[in-house]
Amino acid sequence: MKRATRLLGILGLIGLLTACSDSHFITDASYRQRVEQDFQQKEASLPQGDLFALFDTDLTTYEREALEFLYAYMPVADIADYSGKFHLMNVRAAQQAGQEMPWGKQIPEDVFRHFVLPVRVNNEPLDSARVVFYEELKNRVKSLSLRDAILEVNHWCHEKAIYTPSDSRTSSPLATVRTAYGRCGEESTLLVAALRSVGIPARQVYTPRWAHTDDNHAWVEAWADGKWHFLGACEPEPVLDLGWFNAPASRGMLMHTKVFGRYEGAEEVMTVTPNYTEINVIGNYAPTARASVMVKDGQGNPVADARVEFKLYNYAEFYTVATKHTDADGVCGLTAGKGDMLVWASKDGKFGFAKLSFGKQSELTVTLDKKGGDSFAVDFDIVPPAETANLPEVTPEQRAENDRRMAQEDSIRNAYVATFMTDETARYFAKQYKLDEDAVAAILVASRGNHRVLADFMTRLRSEKSKRGGIDLLQQISAKDLRDVRFEVLMDHMQSRMRVNAEYFRRYVRNPRVSNETLTPYKAFFGKVVPKEEAEAYVADPMKLVEWVAANIRVDKDCNLGGAPISPEGVWKARVADSHSRDIFFVSMARSMGIPARIEEVTGKVQLIEDDGAVDVNFEATGQASAQKGRLVAKYTPIQSLDSPKYYSHFTLSKLTPQGNLQLLTYDEDAGASWNSLLKTGTSLDAGDYVLVTGTRLASGAVLSEATFFSILPGETTDIDLVMRESKDEVQVIGNFDSESPFTPLGDASSRQSLLQACGRGYFVVGILGVNQEPTNHALRDIAAFKADLEKWGRKMVLLFPDEAASGKFVKDAFPELPSTIIYGIDTDGISAQIADGMKLRNKGSLPIFIIADTFNRVVFVSQGYTIGLGEQLMKTIKGL
């Protein structure tokens, strides 16, 4: 029975009778009516699966309105994959926090609605973190002011997790706590969940990509006293609006946050989707400028509804950070930081592009005068914004107390981490159950707080065949899967049917990992819901399964925006999915029947795996043969500092779609994709039109880029040039530094020696480290990647800790590949201050700082704060000396 009908019946009458004694969740009648309309539309769009049964139960007015708000704007994954009881539990928990926390009455209704009630933060799996965290945090914060409570919750999060990079799938808050670390997107998801659990409005803010260096970052804004304040998640500071990223954020060009539902706040709206409102908060962090873009056709006429993508150079591609559409006059606009972007406009297969310098240009015209098949190359000089950060004041007493607390929190977290399996205990376990010691030790150590789940699974492996199969299954899934996979998932996939050769079975049937989804136990489910005779027909002719999915799963590109992929079971129930969830669903359904299938990593194409190779699946034209192939060979003349350019660091390939925009080819970075491995002798590509982007990142953050447009023809080889542009300026002296400056060698507090004594005559590197901070961790890993080159150079690198306490926190074993030429010490005599003053660094406390200098007191390189690719920049300068 539909919602509209129910409202006319007895339940509607009961609702009217009880409304007098039951508060509204939404007191604005016009907004409430809009939510009701959106809810009815959502319900009508999902007629399958009885997904709205919760609304036939006894709910208070507050609960019903809150749930209608949530269901109206939820991605389909949250409706199909989580029960109504789960969402009701979270509504009641949010209401309880609002009533019991002392600041509950201070929170405006619209702020509570958008920034406290929603469970979802990003694209993480949902869990019961709100309830768990509330019980841990309520007594800890209830006597504090709202500002102090925000800081306190962040200290609690630091007890639970610290930063460690990982893959792009986002763990749930409880999984991050269980693991005791996470990347920035997971740390910020954890902090937002924790703040919301005690009724504090919070949102995840992120820069899609930095302008001055590769990578991106996410942090948190929390609401207090009528204003949004920022903080680094799991990185507590003594005051709000302070983090290691103040300086890089001041060089940012765009900061986003996704607000659940229809949001009517004061911030600039980037995009309004059926599920969320994306807003631009760059003005909170950096000086900004607004620019308008006019799109014209080849005859000079304005083009309405053209797609306009604003792109930052990052990871060797022009990455889209904002998408707009032109109005009836062919115009759209954007507010951004004062640096350069590439503006790419497209419509009906035609495209055009131009560089836009925010702050220098207020208007730009882009002409759609290009199409697929055009061959040409164009250079871009991209300049990021200048640093303008202003840091809030922190007293020495505040800093000392914060450091004391952080050390205590480290000890709490480390005590928990000490309960994880070590290599020794894992090998003992393997011996007990007669399992492969090396394999089991690697798996259990990597599983961290999830080791009991994996150990329980392994104890169920009885026969030699099942032992080999179970260990292989664990080796097929990702490192993050080991940390959060559930027992029932592993047991489900051990029941896989083997109908093909062993290698295909291992990789494309038993393997539960399809793409970037959370692993679920779908094989037993499909075994029950798909009739045996139909399954046998699909096995005999897998194209019949393609036809079934094409006919029965409706694709709605907007239905799951902002959510994780819908689970295979959820797609089956809803019969509606975004295309990515549909693809995962098809591969999962095929594997459940023993049919080998995959989503191909580079192109993202769905494929059936047959004895003579992969067959592309096209749901729009079932039965179509795989795409025709051609070959690409790129000639590269090595420049002084680079023998073989690396994919993502120096170049990328993107395919031009029929609509006129770009789709990146995603080669495996960990496999070492490079010019040598991909393009020197050639690589196979689908026939079509492509763009090769190359870029040389300079120490200033600027980029010298080139884009080459070319076509791949069936059965033919295309030859192009891969050009790495170089700066015409040779290494220059940029400052002075006294090489006789003293420091204290680590482990010898009684002695001091000068850099000249430690390094000898010639050039040397000095680095001041911010221990356990994300920028320093990145820098050390980047340096480790160039271990051989730096050791071959032979000069010393002096890495200094700001003080003895910081040196005690440094875990050298976390960076095992650092060069042997490193000398560690403590900056007891103000070397960092001398560098900051001499080089006129804006924020002296922003670490790490690295310089290359010589014993004639000349500085030829300086880097401060968050910089990706530091090792390469050091070597580029060194080879130019």
Side-chain angles (χ1 to χ4, degrees):
M1 183 180 294
K2 291 298 166 194
R3 171 71 175 152
T5 304
R6 288 199 299 267
L7 285 175
L8 298 175
I10 296 175
L11 288 177
L13 178 61
I14 294 174
L16 290 172
L17 293 173
T18 58
C20 297
S21 60
D22 186 16
S23 63
H24 282 287
F25 172 69
I26 303 174
T27 58
D28 183 330
S30 61
Y31 191 90
R32 188 166 68 242
Q33 183 179 17
R34 183 61 184 272
V35 170
E36 175 73 13
Q37 292 171 350
D38 290 341
F39 172 75
Q40 291 177 9
Q41 184 177 349
K42 177 66 73 66
E43 187 178 29
S45 71
L46 296 170
Q48 303 287 337
D50 200 21
L51 301 175
F52 295 83
L54 175 66
F55 292 91
D56 289 322
T57 63
D58 187 20
L59 301 169
T60 67
T61 299
Y62 184 99
E63 291 168 350
R64 186 172 297 277
E65 291 179 2
L67 286 165
E68 285 187 354
F69 172 73
L70 291 175
Y71 272 74
Y73 307 114
M74 276 183 195
V76 168
D78 294 357
I79 298 176
D81 290 335
Y82 302 91
S83 69
K85 290 182 178 180
F86 172 84
H87 295 302
L88 178 58
M89 172 191 74
N90 281 288
V91 165
R92 288 172 173 169
Q95 185 181 22
Q96 178 185 6
Q99 292 170 342
E100 294 183 358
M101 290 294 101
W103 46 80
K105 293 182 175 59
Q106 301 175 27
I107 311 299
E109 180 184 303
D110 62 332
V111 174
F112 185 92
R113 178 169 66 233
H114 293 285
F115 302 108
V116 176
L117 178 71
V119 178
R120 176 161 301 290
V121 178
N122 194 323
N123 59 354
E124 76 282 5
L126 304 184
D127 61 23
S128 56
R130 184 189 293 271
V131 175
V132 175
F133 292 174
Y134 182 72
E135 290 304 314
E136 283 207 39
L137 283 166
K138 62 179 181 180
N139 292 328
R140 186 162 171 166
V141 300
K142 66 182 182 182
S143 61
L144 302 176
S145 69
L146 187 49
R147 294 172 69 101
D148 287 343
I150 293 168
L151 296 171
E152 185 64 29
V153 172
N154 204 21
H155 276 288
W156 178 85
C157 286
H158 181 243
E159 288 179 13
K160 303 300 182 183
I162 56 171
Y163 172 80
T164 299
S166 63
D167 67 44
S168 61
R169 180 170 70 81
T170 306
S171 293
S172 71
L174 288 177
T176 299
V177 169
R178 188 163 60 248
T179 298
Y181 65 55
R183 57 177 173 78
C184 61
E186 291 163 330
E187 289 182 303
S188 51
T189 297
L190 168 62
L191 176 55
V192 171
L195 289 166
R196 289 179 180 178
S197 77
V198 288
I200 299 174
R203 61 195 189 191
Q204 182 187 60
V205 173
Y206 61 99
T207 178
R209 296 290 173 93
W210 293 115
H212 72 288
T213 189
D214 289 339
D215 210 3
N216 58 5
H217 190 53
W219 57 92
V220 172
E221 286 185 347
W223 187 94
D225 307 324
K227 183 181 177 182
W228 289 99
H229 301 271
F230 69 85
L231 62 166
C234 306
E235 299 167 336
E237 292 283 356
V239 297
L240 296 174
D241 301 315
L242 179 63
W244 64 258
F245 53 88
N246 282 65
S250 75
R251 304 188 71 183
M253 291 199 68
L254 210 62
M255 310 300 182
H256 290 182
T257 187
K258 292 178 179 177
V259 184
F260 190 94
R262 297 185 183 276
Y263 178 63
E264 299 174 347
E267 301 91 341
E268 178 187 19
V269 173
M270 300 288 295
T271 308
V272 178
T273 78
N275 296 345
Y276 61 82
T277 304
E278 188 171 60
I279 58 175
N280 185 4
V281 294
I282 180 63
N284 294 349
Y285 301 93
T288 65
R290 186 166 180 83
S292 64
V293 176
M294 163 73 79
V295 179
K296 295 185 176 181
D297 62 20
Q299 290 72 49
N301 302 310
V303 179
D305 199 34
R307 178 185 175 97
V308 179
E309 298 173 73
F310 295 84
K311 293 174 174 283
L312 279 174
Y313 180 91
N314 196 285
Y315 281 127
E317 69 162 322
F318 285 101
Y319 180 85
T320 300
V321 295
T323 301
K324 301 275 190 170
H325 286 82
T326 55
D327 60 19
D329 297 321
V331 176
C332 66
L334 181 70
T335 300
K338 295 181 177 181
D340 294 347
M341 286 193 196
L342 181 68
V343 178
W344 182 286
S346 58
K347 186 176 182 181
D348 299 333
K350 295 289 186 70
F351 65 93
F353 52 81
K355 186 177 82 170
L356 173 58
S357 297
F358 285 88
K360 296 180 180 178
Q361 297 170 268
S362 59
E363 297 179 349
L364 178 74
T365 298
V366 179
T367 303
L368 304 184
D369 57 358
K370 297 175 177 62
K371 63 183 185 307
D374 294 345
S375 296
F376 59 95
V378 60
D379 290 346
F380 299 102
D381 292 356
I382 304 296
V383 179
E387 183 183 321
T388 57
N390 293 304
L391 305 183
E393 182 180 353
V394 175
T395 67
E397 294 77 16
Q398 287 176 312
R399 177 58 63 195
E401 173 60 15
N402 198 71
D403 288 346
R404 182 197 67 78
R405 292 202 60 184
M406 289 184 70
Q408 182 183 37
E409 291 149 16
D410 287 339
S411 66
I412 293 170
R413 185 181 58 260
N414 291 337
Y416 165 64
V417 171
T419 67
F420 296 172
M421 278 218 180
T422 63
D423 183 78
E424 181 181 1
T425 56
R427 288 180 181 277
Y428 177 76
F429 170 84
K431 282 182 182 178
Q432 279 188 308
Y433 290 93
K434 298 180 180 179
L435 300 167
D436 183 317
E437 282 189 44
D438 291 338
V440 168
I443 290 166
L444 288 177
V445 171
S447 68
R448 294 179 66 84
N450 204 37
H451 61 88
R452 290 185 180 85
V453 168
L454 302 196
D456 190 12
F457 168 69
M458 291 186 205
T459 62
R460 309 296 179 97
L461 306 175
R462 304 297 187 186
S463 67
E464 287 303 314
K465 181 179 178 181
S466 68
K467 289 177 181 179
R468 288 193 301 270
I471 299 301
D472 177 76
L473 187 156
L474 293 171
Q475 291 173 326
Q476 293 290 326
I477 61 180
S478 72
K480 185 170 288 181
D481 294 332
L482 295 177
R483 301 194 292 268
D484 64 10
V485 69
R486 294 176 288 129
F487 174 79
E488 57 268 29
V489 173
L490 298 173
M491 294 302 295
D492 175 80
H493 291 280
M494 276 299 289
Q495 312 307 314
S496 302
R497 286 175 279 187
M498 185 169 180
R499 303 178 185 271
V500 293
N501 70 62
E503 182 64 15
Y504 284 179
F505 175 74
R506 292 175 56 247
R507 297 174 62 188
Y508 307 125
V509 175
R510 183 172 58 204
N511 181 5
R513 165 67 49 220
V514 177
S515 180
N516 61 339
E517 78 282 13
T518 298
L519 299 185
T520 57
Y522 58 76
K523 283 175 178 162
F525 171 79
F526 284 125
K528 294 176 182 176
V529 298
V530 179
K532 183 178 179 181
E533 59 276 12
E534 290 184 20
E536 290 174 349
Y538 298 146
V539 170
D541 183 4
M543 292 310 298
K544 290 184 177 179
L545 179 58
V546 177
E547 294 169 0
W548 186 92
V549 171
N552 289 276
I553 304 302
R554 177 169 60 87
V555 173
D556 180 346
K557 64 182 179 63
D558 296 328
C559 74
N560 199 45
L561 294 173
I566 309 169
S567 75
E569 183 174 344
V571 173
W572 175 272
K573 288 191 297 185
R575 301 298 170 97
V576 176
D578 58 283
S579 59
H580 183 54
S581 298
R582 184 270 317 271
D583 293 348
I584 294 171
F585 169 80
F586 171 81
V587 173
S588 302
M589 197 172 180
R591 289 183 180 181
S592 72
M593 300 170 193
I595 303 170
R598 71 177 181 186
I599 295 179
E600 200 270 329
E601 183 177 49
V602 175
T603 63
K605 293 191 296 187
V606 179
Q607 295 178 329
L608 293 165
I609 309 299
E610 299 183 349
D611 290 339
D612 54 353
V615 176
D616 295 347
V617 169
N618 187 334
F619 295 104
E620 283 70 44
T622 56
Q624 181 174 314
S626 294
Q628 292 181 296
K629 302 279 187 178
R631 195 164 185 81
L632 174 66
V633 175
K635 178 185 177 182
Y636 169 65
T637 302
I639 60 176
Q640 184 178 22
S641 60
L642 187 61
D643 294 329
S644 177
K646 296 179 181 178
Y647 204 81
Y648 299 118
S649 295
H650 307 110
F651 76 96
T652 55
L653 290 165
S654 294
K655 189 173 185 182
L656 190 66
T657 70
Q659 293 75 35
N661 39 48
L662 298 175
Q663 179 181 354
L664 181 70
L665 303 186
T666 54
Y667 291 97
D668 186 356
E669 183 179 15
D670 294 335
S674 67
W675 170 74
N676 256 331
S677 63
L678 285 177
L679 301 180
K680 184 177 182 179
T681 58
T683 191
S684 176
L685 294 176
D686 290 347
D689 303 309
Y690 292 84
V691 181
L692 167 73
V693 173
T694 65
T696 300
R697 178 80 74 177
L698 306 179
S700 65
V703 177
L704 305 177
S705 178
E706 181 173 286
T708 302
F709 293 73
F710 62 93
S711 298
I712 297 293
L713 301 177
E716 297 185 17
T717 296
T718 299
D719 293 288
I720 63 172
D721 290 325
L722 189 158
V723 177
M724 295 300 303
R725 296 175 58 205
E726 294 184 274
S727 172
K728 295 179 181 179
D729 297 326
E730 296 183 9
V731 174
Q732 299 177 0
V733 176
I734 57 176
N736 297 303
F737 173 74
D738 184 2
S739 64
E740 296 193 45
S741 299
F743 70 97
T744 301
L746 195 62
D748 190 3
S750 62
S751 69
R752 292 161 69 244
Q753 65 180 140
S754 70
L755 291 165
L756 175 61
Q757 290 173 310
C759 302
R761 293 288 177 185
Y763 284 97
F764 55 87
V765 177
V766 175
I768 314 295
L769 307 183
V771 178
N772 294 337
Q773 293 179 352
E774 185 173 342
T776 293
N777 290 349
H778 273 294
L780 294 178
R781 291 188 179 94
D782 287 343
I783 289 171
F786 285 81
K787 175 182 179 180
D789 292 318
L790 289 165
E791 289 180 341
K792 184 178 179 180
W793 180 48
R795 303 300 302 159
K796 296 296 184 182
M797 301 183 68
V798 180
L799 301 186
L800 300 176
F801 303 102
D803 50 47
E804 189 170 355
S807 71
K809 298 178 183 178
F810 182 67
V811 182
K812 187 177 179 182
D813 291 345
F815 309 96
E817 298 301 319
L818 286 172
S820 59
T821 50
I822 288 176
I823 299 171
Y824 293 96
I826 299 174
D827 183 16
T828 49
D829 291 82
I831 288 177
S832 62
Q834 184 191 154
I835 295 172
D837 292 337
M839 301 306 300
K840 297 181 172 58
L841 300 181
R842 184 177 178 86
N843 294 305
K844 298 179 182 180
S846 179
L847 300 178
I849 300 172
F850 284 87
I851 64 168
I852 300 176
D854 68 3
T855 46
F856 293 100
N857 299 334
R858 301 176 299 186
V859 178
V860 296
F861 173 89
V862 64
S863 171
Q864 182 182 28
Y866 191 74
T867 300
I868 301 298
L870 176 67
E872 181 180 350
Q873 290 187 16
L874 290 172
M875 287 311 306
K876 192 182 297 180
T877 304
I878 286 166
K879 288 183 178 182
L881 295 174

